Amino acid sequence: MQRQKTAPMHDHKDFGPDITIAEFQKKMVEKHTTMSAGHLKLMAISGFLLLIGIIAIVIRATTDGFEYRAPWGYYAATVAFLLTAAGGAPLIIVALRLTHAHWRRPFARISELYAAVGILTLGLFIPLLLLVPTANNRFTLWFQADNGGSSIRIPWAPHFWITLLISMLVVSGIALLLVSARSDKANLNDNMNKPRGWLSKGWVGNSKQWSIKKGGLTFLGACYFFLLIGTLSFFSVDFGMALVPGWKDAIFPAFQSITGLQAGLATVIVTLWLVRKYCGFEDYIQMEHFWAASKILLALSLMFFYFWFSGFIIFWYGRLPAEVNVLNLLMFGPYKVFFFSAFILNFVAPFLILLWNSARKTMWGPTLAASLILIGTLIDKIRIYVASYSVDFNNSPVSIFDHKLNLVPAFQAPDVIDVLIVLGCLSGGVFMLSVAAKLFPIFSLWEISEGIKIRTVKPYLRTKLLILGKPE
Amino acid sequence: MQQRVALPHKQINADLLNITLKAPLWWWITVGVLGLFVLAAFSSVAVLVNKGLGVTGLNRPVMWGLFIVDFIFWIGISHAGVMLSAILRLSKAEWRRPATRAAEVLTVLSLLWAALHPVIHAGRLWRIMYWAFPYDFSRGIWINIRSPLVWDPSAIFTYLTGSALFVIVALIPDLAVIRDRTTGIRHQIYSILAMGWRGTPRQWKLQIVAGFLLSALLLPVFVSVHSIVSWDFAVAISVEAWHVTIFAPYFVIGAVHSGVSAVVTMMVLMRWLFGWHAYIREEHIDALGRLLIVIATTWLYFFFLEFSFALFSRESQEIALRELQVFTWPWWPLFLTFILAGYVIPVGLWLSKRVRRSWVMMFWTSLLVNIGMWLERLIIVIPGLSRKTPFSFDWGTYHPSLIEVTIIVGGYAFVFLLLLLFAKAFPLIPIFDIKEGQTLSENIKIGRRTVPALRVEE
Amino acid sequence: MTKMLAVFKEEEKAAKATEELEKAGHTNENFDILTGSPYPEGAFGEAEPKHHLYVYPLVGAFVGFSMGLLLTIATQSAWPLVVGGKPILSIPAMMIPMYEGTMLGAILFTIAGILFESRLPNLKGGLYDPRITEGYVGITIEVAKKDAGELQKLLEKAGAEEVLRRES
């Protein structure tokens, strides 16, 4: 009788290549010191497009001014997208470190590098402040009521507070990157026989420094988490929802925070794939990393649907005139193509792809789903912010002080300037990332080295098993 | 820091089946006392059926009282089990092992009791049949699928069926253990229940795949159940503070908060009552404590959104209702207790590792959470209804009657009684899961330190 | 034919015994392993269990969805009463019972699949020893009557505590 196939006999290869810490560091130093032509080209092109984007913003400001919000919808959508996708990216490593996920290691630095994009986002956010009136006497979360109850009034709302929030977010993101990269910079400089820079000066790697570093990462991670949720929540209300009279939707800030997690993870996955493909790190980034991330991406895509539906069913069931108009404005009216596209790209398509283990357990499956999610998120931000900003135009019958939306304004089509703004700002994100990747190694040397230390393969009865240490 | 102990399988069997194979005296006494409470509750239900809803404190405009409050509470408790065991199973968290069965059983039993609340609340229990089930009694009138009061039974039925079957499937290998340790009629009963389980690689593989698959299937159901319960309130436009879009995730996360706390309470009790010191260890409640901090803080975020959006639109009626809830007697002490007990005190304490690793502290803080969360439901349901109508002469309030209170209190005894009965018949900690955990544990040496490690298959 | 069950106290010896069996010309199709708790796949060189459990929830979900769709459409059209200004066939509202139906179908079919694929209930029984649930490892094997003695010796030499036999 033929011997049946035994249950998979794991050989060493199934668990990834056998690399030593020294080999990995050598390769990393080699990659980091030589700047590839591709990297240079990417920096040049994205920098050029950013410049064009900035020129387009200046043209918009000089031709349309800041009197009405309608011309600025696409700009606001782009800022929201950067805040969501690039802002959400560093959160991924914060969450994975918190859960001690072993597969987080190649994701770590890529995720942290996106903190650099925050500087651009903060800069782009400033013009939006000119478009939003004070929170006084209108729908707001900032307790500005001067009639009917509360007399508490928070000053300078919302402008000062939201600027403060975003600034703190950017600072904590950059701090997270610096604290994490400090030992790596020291390592790189020593290996390249270069003098230590300001960041790595004094790093010797004693146990006190390591424990401060790890504690610092936890603290800054927690700060980043709370600041990001706060920023996404308040930004989406103050620079979106509150600009549409009658739109009172408590789940919306939470929904926007969820899209931050979803788009953040998608951003990191797509970047990891690109790094693997174009930077020659095939040996270090493997299917298991994509596979592990794909399960979370699937869960977040389901959450996208859940949060959307939970809000939608209340308005649909309630059928108050204000609710009907808000649903028409955002979903089933002028922006219905955008809404359904975003719905398919953020939920239906990733769900159908990631439902199958055979697609999850590949590198292309999660990457495809993540790419669709990123496109979907941009479209979703456009339908939300362009729609919200379209309410306010010259001779608009709708005022921000109204209690309900009396009219659903027409579709706001993008003009050339809008296209250049969107393209330029998105390229600006890529530019910031590529500059950051030049300054810091693209892999977290210390985290990957730690990972190599705590994994080994041992025989067990008649098979071989991977042994993972759990030092925490 | 983990405190693993390696135990021979024979001892694991003996330890985890100590109640099942031979119940101590306290077990019989407790069952007897709880039985009396349950009897009182069932007699009260009988009085209610006989006399009608007049024996309750329900009256215009507050027609949803303690039954509904307690219904949401128990549905909430039922969210612990599956969420905990499913998420921990899917994430392959090692510390799930002693917690899963107890959590799942708590789910089934509390859901069973929760589902009876609306039935009792209907006054004429048998009429639920007309309203909830797609059966037309030859009258040509069908149930209204568009009503959340029909969505609710469909969700609860699915969840109850699914989670009960989940428990049963995972019980089969443990039933074989009991089968092998009993004689006579008990042996025969357990032989039938174990369905001829032998422990072949095929059976084990399916058992493990089933755990993942059913977890993945039950998770979306569990989310839907409490969401739908919240829509019983939120889709209505007539009551201030109910028509809020955040209600679904707010209810779900609140349910998880109270449910996981209930699991902590239960695990501490199991350790004390059954002497399972080697199985339920400090690392387990520590991990649960850390998980609870995250859950509770997420809950606080949703609570913030729910509350601040009431003030968002500056409508005087809504603001007046919030003032009633927060500043007016008798609601303000309840509100304060709810905030302190539901979040501030327990989470504040859980931040300390010493508290998270203290059995006494975890017992009381987890209990505190559930007191807080029960009050939360009370504050959502009653004040809104008592100010439902626009004219103040139609306002009212609500005082629960003795009958209602008896039924509610008896309900706690009912669930606890069922848990004890379950523990008599089946092990509350999955025996095979504990054994598997031992098989998979390893150590590796890094420098001079021996680090606990795990054998992983992929 | 003779059915045999060799009971091993140590898992290492049982793993070794399966190697000895293979050396003696028995394939892993012939023997089966009985354990009291799950072991990593391939620990005893056993045949890889093939199953189709993933198909069951899909079929179940389809059946459940169809039932949900039928039920929601049929009840609403049988008593077409407009409530709250909503259309008779309101898709958002119908989605909820349909969703629950889908999940219920998937769960029920999965449970049926688990039992069927695990070949439970197993009415035939077979050789068994209660020590299996105490951590012992059992190897069951079926051989021609004439080879039984030799095989028993092999298993005992490999470290079996006891070898149970049943003739058929």
Side-chain angles (χ1 to χ4, degrees):
Chain A
M1 200 182 288
Q2 192 70 41
R3 187 178 191 273
Q4 277 284 98
K5 193 174 161 253
T6 28
M9 273 282 247
H10 298 296
D11 51 19
H12 217 184
K13 226 169 144 249
D14 284 358
F15 303 115
D18 191 10
I19 28 170
T20 62
I21 297 174
E23 280 167 12
F24 168 67
Q25 294 203 342
K26 192 167 153 247
K27 168 128 183 174
M28 197 59 232
V29 172
E30 207 174 279
K31 283 277 170 195
H32 190 71
T33 41
T34 52
M35 185 162 176
S36 69
H39 194 161
L40 204 65
K41 219 188 274 175
L42 182 71
M43 264 167 85
I45 295 173
S46 58
F48 176 71
L49 285 172
L50 173 62
L51 203 66
I52 294 199
I54 293 171
I55 295 170
I57 296 168
V58 173
I59 295 175
R60 168 101 316 149
T62 45
T63 52
D64 294 294
F66 294 94
E67 200 179 341
Y68 300 105
R69 281 185 290 279
W72 290 93
Y74 286 90
Y75 179 72
T78 315
V79 175
F81 175 77
L82 284 176
L83 208 53
T84 307
L91 192 61
I92 302 308
I93 189 58
V94 171
L96 295 180
R97 278 195 192 123
L98 191 77
T99 53
H100 305 306
H102 186 68
W103 54 270
R104 72 175 186 271
R105 299 172 198 279
F107 284 93
R109 186 56 44 75
I110 291 172
S111 171
E112 287 161 353
L113 286 177
Y114 272 96
V117 183
I119 301 170
L120 175 76
T121 316
L122 179 61
L124 292 174
F125 163 76
I126 304 294
L128 287 181
L129 290 170
L130 302 171
L131 291 163
V132 172
T134 66
N136 194 9
N137 220 9
R138 62 184 178 92
F139 279 26
T140 182
L141 280 182
W142 294 100
F143 306 113
Q144 298 288 304
D146 44 9
N147 54 356
S150 169
S151 56
I152 310 163
R153 181 179 286 198
I154 299 173
W156 318 306
H159 301 82
F160 172 74
W161 301 105
I162 187 107
T163 312
L164 185 71
L165 258 178
I166 299 185
S167 309
M168 280 165 65
L169 176 78
V170 174
V171 169
S172 68
I174 299 285
L176 192 72
L177 171 64
L178 295 181
V179 170
S180 168
R182 189 171 178 222
S183 60
D184 292 356
K185 274 300 251 191
N187 197 332
L188 275 184
N189 286 349
D190 294 354
N191 273 299
M192 287 151 62
N193 294 322
K194 279 198 342 201
R196 296 273 187 95
W198 61 271
L199 179 63
S200 51
K201 202 176 261 175
W203 175 265
V204 287
N206 57 25
S207 48
K208 189 178 171 194
Q209 281 183 331
W210 280 113
S211 98
I212 291 177
K213 178 187 178 118
K214 290 201 165 174
L217 286 180
T218 310
F219 174 74
L220 287 168
C223 290
Y224 194 86
F225 177 79
F226 287 114
L227 286 166
L228 182 75
I229 301 296
T231 304
L232 290 177
S233 302
F234 280 103
F235 181 86
S236 62
V237 176
D238 285 322
F239 291 80
M241 185 201 296
L243 306 177
V244 180
W247 183 10
K248 176 189 171 186
D249 188 355
I251 204 172
F252 183 67
F255 178 38
Q256 293 304 298
S257 303
I258 286 293
T259 63
L261 291 178
Q262 192 196 21
L265 182 59
T267 307
V268 178
I269 290 175
V270 172
T271 318
L272 193 74
W273 189 84
L274 292 171
V275 165
R276 183 183 185 277
K277 177 108 175 134
Y278 295 107
C279 304
F281 285 105
E282 287 89 347
D283 288 350
Y284 305 92
I285 304 169
Q286 263 131 15
M287 185 277 297
E288 61 168 292
H289 301 116
F290 289 91
W291 189 34
S294 72
K295 295 169 197 165
I296 301 178
L297 198 64
L298 173 62
L300 287 167
S301 301
L302 290 174
M303 297 267 265
F304 177 93
F305 173 77
Y306 172 64
F307 274 75
W308 168 76
F309 188 79
S310 300
F312 163 75
I313 190 84
I314 306 299
F315 280 13
W316 177 83
Y317 212 101
R319 288 186 180 231
L320 297 170
E323 295 171 339
V324 172
N325 276 350
V326 167
L327 282 188
N328 278 336
L329 174 68
L330 292 169
M331 295 172 201
F332 308 115
Y335 298 93
K336 64 170 178 271
V337 175
F338 285 75
F339 167 70
F340 285 110
S341 309
F343 188 77
I344 290 169
L345 292 169
N346 274 321
F347 164 62
V348 182
F351 174 69
L352 290 179
I353 295 170
L354 298 176
L355 188 63
W356 306 99
N357 199 37
S358 46
R360 275 201 309 267
K361 218 174 167 174
T362 58
M363 290 190 237
W364 63 264
T367 312
L368 177 65
S371 320
L372 296 178
I373 287 170
L374 281 183
I375 301 169
T377 307
L378 181 63
I379 295 175
D380 197 43
K381 299 301 165 209
I382 288 177
R383 71 124 185 150
I384 290 168
Y385 289 91
V386 174
S388 314
Y389 282 56
S390 70
V391 173
D392 182 48
F393 51 92
N394 198 3
N395 293 326
S396 168
V398 180
S399 150
I400 197 170
F401 303 107
D402 289 348
H403 244 66
K404 74 179 178 61
L405 185 67
N406 297 312
L407 160 130
V408 177
F411 175 60
Q412 187 87 19
D415 56 14
V416 182
I417 300 290
D418 285 325
V419 174
L420 291 179
I421 288 176
V422 175
L423 206 66
C425 294
L426 296 185
S427 307
V430 177
F431 176 73
M432 295 302 284
L433 184 76
S434 56
V435 171
K438 186 65 210 121
L439 296 175
F440 302 97
I442 200 155
F443 284 110
S444 182
L445 287 167
W446 64 276
E447 246 168 326
I448 291 191
S449 305
E450 184 189 53
I452 295 173
K453 255 179 274 173
I454 60 167
R455 61 186 275 164
T456 176
V457 175
K458 281 190 193 171
Y460 177 73
L461 298 181
R462 290 185 64 182
T463 184
K464 270 181 184 165
L465 293 175
L466 176 67
I467 314 286
L468 273 186
K470 303 255 171 188
E472 291 95 358
Chain B
M1 277 293 272
Q2 302 185 18
Q3 313 143 306
R4 288 176 180 169
V5 256
L7 295 169
H9 286 194
K10 198 170 179 175
Q11 196 189 334
I12 297 178
N13 293 341
D15 288 349
L16 297 182
L17 291 175
N18 56 3
I19 293 290
T20 309
L21 296 178
K22 192 178 182 332
L25 185 65
W26 67 258
W27 186 90
W28 295 101
I29 296 171
T30 319
V31 165
V33 174
L34 291 173
L36 289 178
F37 276 93
V38 175
L39 199 66
F42 276 72
S43 315
S44 304
V45 174
V47 172
L48 187 145
V49 170
N50 183 257
K51 304 277 177 199
L53 279 177
V55 300
T56 66
L58 296 172
N59 208 340
R60 244 171 14 101
V62 184
M63 298 308 285
W64 284 7
L66 277 199
F67 291 139
I68 301 299
V69 172
D70 210 47
F71 164 67
I72 315 174
F73 176 78
W74 278 110
I75 291 270
I77 295 290
S78 80
H79 271 48
V82 167
M83 129 70 208
L84 204 66
S85 73
I87 288 187
L88 298 183
R89 240 182 251 260
L90 291 177
S91 63
K92 298 185 180 164
E94 268 303 295
W95 56 272
R96 71 168 189 274
R97 295 184 190 276
T100 49
R101 171 84 44 81
E104 289 156 16
V105 172
L106 187 63
T107 289
V108 176
L109 301 181
S110 51
L111 198 58
L112 202 66
W113 172 231
L116 286 176
H117 280 81
V119 179
I120 298 171
H121 173 80
R124 312 211 162 171
L125 322 187
W126 53 96
R127 291 216 173 161
I128 283 287
M129 198 65 189
Y130 302 108
W131 303 321
F133 288 92
Y135 179 57
D136 81 330
F137 290 100
S138 327
R139 300 166 304 161
I141 302 174
W142 290 83
I143 52 166
N144 180 12
I145 291 284
R146 280 155 286 163
S147 160
L149 302 183
V150 173
W151 305 342
D152 220 347
S154 78
I156 291 175
F157 180 71
T158 301
Y159 191 42
L160 189 59
T161 315
S163 48
L165 289 170
F166 190 32
V167 171
I168 292 169
V169 164
L171 256 180
I172 298 173
D174 286 357
L175 292 169
V177 178
I178 312 180
R179 172 195 67 193
D180 294 350
R181 318 247 101 58
T182 44
T183 49
I185 180 86
R186 291 175 76 190
H187 175 74
Q188 280 170 0
I189 293 172
Y190 283 111
S191 297
I192 293 169
L193 291 176
M195 293 194 277
W197 173 274
R198 305 178 78 212
T200 60
R202 182 189 187 82
Q203 289 176 334
W204 284 123
K205 178 165 185 170
L206 277 151
Q207 181 64 236
I208 288 165
V209 175
F212 284 118
L213 206 53
L214 286 174
S215 298
L217 287 172
L218 275 172
L219 263 184
V221 176
F222 121 89
V223 174
S224 77
V225 174
H226 221 58
S227 301
I228 291 171
V229 169
S230 83
W231 294 336
D232 289 345
F233 302 87
V235 295
I237 50 173
S238 54
V239 182
E240 293 295 340
W242 281 9
H243 192 56
V244 186
T245 51
I246 193 99
F247 252 37
Y250 173 54
F251 269 47
V252 171
I253 197 76
V256 172
H257 183 32
S258 70
V260 175
S261 300
V263 171
V264 172
T265 315
M266 192 170 153
M267 284 180 73
V268 179
L269 274 179
M270 271 161 43
R271 189 184 141 98
W272 283 341
L273 294 176
F274 306 149
W276 289 337
H277 300 267
Y279 304 92
I280 303 172
R281 300 189 295 268
E282 283 169 5
E283 74 209 47
H284 298 127
I285 48 162
D286 186 2
L288 277 169
R290 274 179 286 162
L291 181 68
L292 272 171
I293 296 176
V294 177
I295 293 170
T297 307
T298 316
W299 170 84
L300 188 73
Y301 170 60
F302 287 145
F303 172 72
F304 165 77
L305 289 178
E306 192 265 340
F307 201 89
S308 52
F309 267 89
L311 312 176
F312 178 75
S313 54
R314 300 161 43 238
E315 281 157 20
S316 47
Q317 264 187 320
E318 180 116 30
I319 292 171
L321 180 74
R322 297 295 164 166
E323 280 181 346
L324 173 71
Q325 287 176 338
V326 184
F327 299 116
T328 316
W329 176 266
W331 296 105
W332 73 261
L334 296 176
F335 187 84
L336 195 67
T337 316
F338 145 58
I339 290 289
L340 291 178
Y343 187 83
V344 180
I345 296 173
V347 175
L349 288 170
W350 291 335
L351 290 175
S352 146
K353 191 173 179 173
R354 266 185 47 209
V355 172
R356 288 200 309 268
R357 284 176 172 257
S358 150
W359 300 101
V360 180
M361 289 303 281
M362 283 309 276
F363 179 77
W364 290 111
T365 46
S366 60
L367 216 54
L368 209 56
V369 168
N370 272 315
I371 295 172
M373 294 312 284
W374 196 90
L375 289 173
E376 182 214 21
R377 278 64 179 253
L378 185 79
I379 292 166
I380 290 175
V381 176
I382 314 289
L385 283 173
S386 55
R387 296 279 173 92
K388 187 179 150 194
T389 47
F391 298 112
S392 54
F393 61 80
D394 257 353
W395 288 357
T397 188
Y398 163 75
H399 303 281
S401 73
L402 188 64
I403 292 280
E404 278 172 289
V405 175
T406 313
I407 294 172
I408 298 302
V409 172
Y412 290 83
F414 181 58
V415 174
F416 198 48
L417 177 72
L418 289 178
L419 267 174
L420 282 181
L421 292 177
F422 185 91
K424 178 74 191 81
F426 312 107
L428 267 178
I429 290 185
I431 299 176
F432 76 92
D433 227 14
I434 295 286
K435 290 175 182 170
E436 190 196 24
Q438 291 211 345
T439 309
L440 294 182
S441 63
E442 246 281 18
N443 287 315
I444 53 170
K445 253 187 123 62
I446 302 176
R448 286 173 61 185
R449 196 181 145 198
T450 308
V451 174
L454 207 62
R455 297 192 170 108
V456 194
E457 281 182 75
E458 47 203 1
Chain C
M1 295 296 274
T2 305
K3 278 187 185 150
M4 286 188 171
L5 168 66
V7 197
F8 293 80
K9 191 169 182 194
E10 285 97 10
E11 56 203 22
E12 291 82 8
K13 282 186 182 159
K16 196 89 192 129
T18 57
E19 273 178 39
E20 296 293 326
L21 281 175
E22 284 180 14
K23 269 187 215 155
H26 302 277
T27 68
N28 60 1
E29 178 76 340
N30 287 111
F31 62 81
D32 207 355
I33 312 290
L34 305 183
T35 54
S37 66
Y39 276 82
E41 285 184 8
F44 299 102
E46 75 277 6
E48 187 183 5
K50 288 253 182 325
H51 67 90
H52 303 283
L53 191 57
Y54 295 107
V55 180
Y56 289 83
L58 293 175
V59 176
F62 180 75
V63 173
F65 176 81
S66 314
M67 294 292 286
L69 188 68
L70 203 71
L71 189 82
T72 45
I73 291 181
T75 48
Q76 297 317 288
S77 352
W79 186 254
L81 183 69
V82 173
V83 185
K86 292 167 189 65
I88 296 297
L89 295 180
S90 305
I91 294 166
M94 281 161 61
M95 268 172 72
I96 293 163
M98 268 153 60
Y99 170 80
E100 298 300 339
T102 309
M103 297 314 285
L104 185 63
I107 290 169
L108 290 177
F109 271 66
T110 308
I111 298 287
I114 294 162
L115 294 181
F116 179 74
E117 292 281 345
S118 315
R119 308 286 182 262
L120 291 173
N122 169 19
L123 301 173
K124 278 193 295 195
L127 273 174
Y128 186 75
D129 190 293
R131 279 175 290 181
I132 304 280
T133 44
E134 252 168 37
Y136 283 56
V137 178
I139 300 178
T140 59
I141 188 163
E142 195 171 359
V143 284
K145 222 174 236 175
K146 61 180 171 56
D147 300 331
E150 199 182 323
L151 189 69
Q152 181 164 0
K153 259 183 224 152
L154 186 148
L155 289 167
E156 278 165 357
K157 201 174 151 219
E161 292 259 306
E162 195 184 341
V163 178
L164 309 173
R165 283 170 68 159
R166 187 190 290 167
E167 313 289 336
S168 58

